[in-house]
Amino acid sequence: MSMAITKETAVLVVGAGIMGAGIAQIAAQAGHTVFLFDTKDHAAAEAKAKLATTLEGLVSKGKLDASAAEQAIARIQPLSELAKASSAGLVVEAIIENLDVKRGLFRQLEILLGKEAILATNTSSISVTAIANGLQYPERLVGMHFFNPVPLMKLVEVVSGLQTQPAVAEAIFELSKAWGKVPVYARSTPGFIVNRIARPYYAENLALLHEQSVQPYVLDACLRAVGFRMGPCELMDLIGLDTNYSVTRSVYEANFFDKRYVPSAVQRDLVDGGLFGRKSGQGFYDYREAAVKPEIAHFTPATMPAANKVQVQGNCAVAQYLVDALTTAKVNFTHLPESAWTGLSLDEAELRLTDGRPASQLGKELAVFDLPVSKQQGQPLAFAVSNRASTELAEYAATWLRFLGFNPQLMADSPALIVARTLAMLINEAADAVQQGVCSAAGADAAMKLGVNYPAGPFEWLAGWDAGKIVQLLDHLDAFYRGERYRVSPWLRHKAWQEAA
């Protein structure tokens, strides 16, 4: 079987919806003859007309040459029947996410197309191995998972099933690069790379909402401060809570109901009520006319609160941040780098960086604060106080955090707070993906940055943190909740042992 895919290779795209039309566009712009087919009458022709309008718009904005646009549209041939695409050397399927329907299509295509044609599926959630079951040549079926909108999103997950020939995956990998994309190899497991690793971004924050620990707008503000373009609640509202819930259920069921992926009752209730987010007018936020989205209070700096004895505890990036801030403010303090914890001792009170345990577990006059990732002045930062603390401690801790340059957000005393909990679980999930051969560490980083616009990849966050501290935080979460959700990846635990040696 020849694996060469060149510009002379005709490409058949089955499915003329948003994804299929986008795939047809980039293939045509790359120089291929593109056959576009859809079972719905006139859908392919209508998709071509819309693409012509899209490309004309790019021409008018100076982003595309007029002749290049005309040539690309001319290469797209809407078909009324699949038989007319028998000369295609590659097919990319972008139809409904239904296993039986996809299997039926590929069995039909296998008869129609030549034995050397590569069969690619754009499925986002169905096993490539399962789709290939029943084909005469299952080794030529591969996943070519694009992200929406296809012309703009750079990532392509090249997904191999159990029988996918390596040369087939390599051909799609190279073709993706020729089409201007950044491909990453993935093994066919539930959610592949992006939809799997991204689950904790939603799940951890839904868990906090379920416990009534914090409001959605505070969660979103704290995670935007890390560099995420949208907080989890904003993002679920944009995606559609029904869509996000469906993907979560799919991953949960495909992983034999592993508790790590359990769906949220909070999200289920919203979906049951028809509150899908932006498309329905209400979700976590109200998008109806005249509705006002709640926001956290603006940052207001504070003068130094009264304290006779100020000590910085610990020896890590956060401790150094505290040292630098106090030095700049000309505060008289001492530094105890050998301390077992990180934060500030303030006379009889303590302000500690979270290690995964609630403040109430650690002491009386004690507050814990979330992991600060950036050094931006006024960044939102969650904190909580012990349930045994004096009534004044919350305001005292908040004033100290403002003095240090943070915008403090008081929440219930939940373990690992918001950012530390979310990032630790994203790292843990990525570590398991690598452990199980789903992808490489570099592939995971590229996939999350390019597929869902994360500000950094999970292994980049790991490099700037500490594997031992992440394992400790997850172990503390596991001890608190007594379940399977926070079990530490073997890969990550081995990494912590390696760093400690």
Side-chain angles (χ1 to χ4, degrees), residues 99 121 123 125-132 141 159 161 188-190 192:
L99 175 59
T121 172
T123 182
S125 60
I126 299 175
S127 165
V128 173
T129 300
I131 295 173
L141 180 73
V159 187
S188 184
T189 56
F192 308 144

Side-chain angles (χ1 to χ4, degrees), residues 340-344 350-355 357 362-363 366-370 417:
W341 56 275
T342 297
L344 290 177
E350 292 179 359
L351 185 56
R352 293 192 183 193
L353 171 67
T354 181
D355 66 359
R357 291 176 291 179
L362 296 172
L366 189 142
V368 294
F369 62 92
D370 208 351
L417 301 182

Side-chain angles (χ1 to χ4, degrees), residues 266-288:
V266 171
Q267 194 170 39
R268 180 200 61 199
D269 289 348
L270 287 165
V271 171
D272 286 349
L275 305 175
F276 301 147
R278 291 191 182 188
K279 63 185 177 184
S280 69
Q282 287 178 279
F284 288 109
Y285 300 103
D286 191 338
Y287 300 93
R288 294 171 297 180

Side-chain angles (χ1 to χ4, degrees), residues 462 465-472 492 495-497 499:
L462 173 60
W465 201 347
D466 179 283
K469 292 186 184 301
I470 297 169
V471 167
Q472 179 190 60
L492 188 59
K495 176 73 171 174
W497 291 336
E499 290 182 357

Side-chain angles (χ1 to χ4, degrees), residues 358-366 384-390 393 413:
S360 302
Q361 183 179 349
L362 296 172
K364 183 180 178 183
E365 283 299 287
L366 189 142
V385 298
S386 170
N387 60 12
R388 293 172 283 154
S390 62
L393 183 63
D413 188 20

Side-chain angles (χ1 to χ4, degrees), residues 105-243:
L105 171 65
F106 280 114
R107 287 172 185 173
Q108 183 181 357
L109 290 169
E110 192 173 41
I111 297 170
L112 173 67
L113 303 180
K115 293 182 179 179
E116 295 184 351
I118 291 177
L119 311 179
T121 172
N122 182 54
T123 182
S124 61
S125 60
I126 299 175
S127 165
V128 173
T129 300
I131 295 173
N133 185 9
L135 293 181
Q136 284 184 293
Y137 304 102
E139 65 272 12
R140 64 171 169 167
L141 180 73
V142 65
M144 191 179 192
H145 180 214
F146 293 88
F147 288 76
N148 191 31
V150 174
L152 299 180
M153 299 298 284
K154 289 292 186 182
L155 181 67
V156 173
E157 291 179 324
V158 180
V159 187
S160 292
L162 284 178
Q163 298 183 79
T164 303
Q165 191 176 51
V168 170
E170 184 179 352
I172 294 299
F173 190 93
E174 294 302 321
L175 178 66
S176 299
K177 290 196 290 186
W179 286 2
K181 301 302 181 183
V182 178
V184 294
Y185 287 114
R187 187 168 65 85
S188 184
T189 56
F192 308 144
I193 304 174
V194 171
N195 279 332
R196 172 184 175 162
I197 295 177
R199 295 341 298 161
Y201 189 62
Y202 312 111
E204 291 311 305
N205 292 284
L206 286 167
L208 289 169
L209 293 174
H210 187 65
E211 296 170 8
Q212 301 188 65
S213 297
V214 65
Q215 291 296 314
Y217 68 94
V218 176
L219 289 172
D220 286 343
C222 289
L223 284 156
R224 284 198 306 269
V226 177
F228 290 98
R229 294 187 184 181
M230 301 182 78
C233 299
E234 296 169 313
L235 185 55
M236 284 185 277
D237 272 1
L238 177 65
I239 294 168
L241 285 156
D242 53 338
T243 301

